[in-house]
Amino acid sequence: MTQTSSHQPAGSAPVLVLAAGGTVAGATLDELRRRDVAVRALVRRPRPADDPGIEWVVGDLRDPGVLTAALRGVRTVLYVTPHENDETAMADLVVRATRAAGVRLVFVGVHVSTRTVRGWLLHHVFRLLLPAYVPKLKIGRMVERTLPDAALVVPSNFYDNDLTFLTDIEAGEYPTPIRRVNRVAVSDIAEVCADALTDPAFPAGTHGVSGPASLSGEESAAAWAEALGRPVRYVGNDPEAWEAALCRGIPEGKRRRDWRNSFRALGRMSMKTSPRDVEETTRLLGRPPLDYRSWVAAQVRSRAEVGS
Ligand SMILES: NC(=O)c1ccc[n+]([C@@H]2O[C@H](COP(=O)([O-])OP(=O)(O)OC[C@H]3O[C@@H](n4cnc5c(N)ncnc54)[C@H](OP(=O)(O)O)[C@@H]3O)[C@@H](O)[C@H]2O)c1
């Protein structure tokens, strides 16, 4: 394990962010940085920039020695389970190391709590409908069973997935197959994670994080068209266009396969937004979750600012 830089403010134990270069973990790191929280961040590749307030640790999650050392002296740890073939074995290592260190885990992933009869039934329906998600569901269950004080943050579909296909969208085609599903901003997920990592009173257990509404692919395309001021056509019902966009956007590997499986299901299934989930997200954030049109408009504005 190599440390590339270390500038910890004295006085408070740091929060550990594992796999800190990922979408949700990286956004949480940014949120913690905004709040001036001391952070230790584990990444696979060294970071070039000197980053005050962040203690960068370079190492692989598969190495139990790296995990044990990274967990030493931290107050909480964030783990967003990555798209890797050995995701279950990696999560097992993280859960064991976290338990051995006596550190509270904040977990982000796909999860349906089996603590209620309704949850148990839903868990099994999910397993039947989405067999590719069985390992992910196992991971959540393992966290829930092994670490009673863990906070499990369970987000819906990310708005930020669109950024993977920005070139297609800017060229006038919205490629992602979406029949109708709840979508949420990664920045909102990151705020909830930052609270869970820093507030000892943040309740243990499962917390769904949802956006305000379920959206179709056509509605998603229309929001981009409005923000860009030119037509954006939904082509998510054309499997060839989707496969081509997927291959352009994501390198061959588990992540691409997971996205292919997810959107195969999301292109067919319509999922209503649960008012209870929106209420819980609003309570956790202390405000309503960001709506999709505002998120899209902000993306277009920030790209225009960078370009000008
Ligand atoms: N996308 C959605 O709409 C959605 C919705 C709900 C739930 N989810 C769940 O969210 C999770 C993915 O989150 P994400 O998109 O934030 O992840 P992500 O962007 O794919 O990031 C994964 C990170 O894990 C790191 N990593 C992988 N293997 C590692 C190892 N052995 N050691 C150290 N680091 C390692 C990667 O490092 P490198 O940067 O070095 O590659 C990468 O930074 C999945 O479980 C998915 O099912 C996604």
Side-chain angles (χ1 to χ4, degrees):
M1 180 170 63
T2 323
Q3 283 181 207
T4 52
S5 71
S6 174
H7 301 267
Q8 284 302 312
S12 66
V15 162
L16 174 62
V17 177
L18 297 174
T23 307
V24 173
T28 306
L29 193 73
D30 290 343
E31 181 60 30
L32 292 166
R33 195 190 264 125
R34 263 192 293 279
R35 297 182 188 192
D36 257 343
V37 174
V39 177
R40 183 178 294 162
L42 184 122
V43 283
R44 276 199 285 203
R45 280 173 279 276
R47 301 275 130 164
D50 195 22
D51 205 338
I54 311 278
E55 180 190 350
W56 292 106
V57 173
V58 179
D60 197 293
L61 281 168
R62 295 180 181 96
D63 181 340
V66 164
L67 277 174
T68 304
L71 280 158
R72 204 164 290 137
V74 301
R75 51 171 152 156
T76 48
V77 54
L78 176 72
Y79 183 55
V80 185
T81 175
H83 299 280
E84 295 288 325
N85 290 325
D86 56 347
E87 58 194 345
T88 317
M90 274 165 65
D92 187 51
L93 284 177
V94 171
V95 166
R96 281 169 193 272
T98 303
R99 189 170 56 173
V103 172
R104 182 182 205 197
L105 177 69
V106 176
F107 168 83
V108 181
V110 176
H111 174 59
V112 182
S113 176
T114 53
R115 287 201 170 135
T116 61
V117 175
R118 185 179 169 273
W120 189 89
L121 285 171
L122 207 62
H123 185 97
H124 284 82
V125 169
F126 241 74
R127 288 171 67 107
L128 287 175
L129 288 178
L130 292 167
Y133 274 74
V134 169
K136 291 187 190 294
L137 290 166
K138 267 191 188 160
I139 294 172
R141 213 161 173 213
M142 170 173 68
V143 171
E144 186 172 61
R145 282 179 167 177
T146 319
L147 301 169
D149 70 336
L152 292 93
V153 174
V154 183
S156 62
N157 185 261
F158 307 166
Y159 296 162
D160 306 58
N161 293 338
D162 289 3
L163 300 177
T164 301
F165 307 107
L166 209 47
T167 311
D168 300 84
I169 294 170
E170 287 178 337
E173 291 196 339
Y174 187 91
T176 318
I178 303 177
R179 178 126 185 240
R180 184 166 289 281
V181 70
N182 185 277
R183 306 191 64 192
V184 66
V186 165
S187 55
D188 282 350
I189 305 168
E191 272 193 44
V192 172
C193 289
D195 285 347
L197 289 162
T198 54
D199 179 1
F202 192 95
T206 302
H207 304 279
V209 179
S210 291
S214 287
L215 295 158
S216 66
E218 283 90 352
E219 286 164 351
S220 304
W224 280 101
E226 181 187 329
L228 289 167
R230 55 179 186 271
V232 177
R233 202 163 55 94
Y234 174 60
V235 295
N237 41 18
D238 173 351
E240 278 176 28
W242 165 237
E243 185 58 28
L246 191 61
C247 293
R248 274 194 300 276
I250 304 179
E252 169 54 28
K254 176 76 161 67
R255 187 160 181 254
R256 191 198 281 174
R257 289 199 298 283
D258 280 355
W259 281 46
R260 190 181 281 126
N261 284 326
S262 299
F263 287 104
R264 189 174 292 143
L266 292 179
R268 293 186 193 133
M269 289 191 308
S270 196
M271 291 192 198
K272 272 196 189 158
T273 292
S274 137
R276 227 169 55 188
D277 285 354
V278 181
E279 256 168 49
E280 167 157 40
T281 307
T282 304
R283 190 178 49 72
L284 290 172
L285 290 168
R287 58 165 173 81
L290 185 65
D291 69 279
Y292 181 69
R293 281 174 65 210
S294 302
W295 179 86
V296 170
Q299 301 308 311
V300 171
R301 265 198 315 275
S302 76
R303 283 181 66 80
E305 278 162 23
V306 170
S308 64

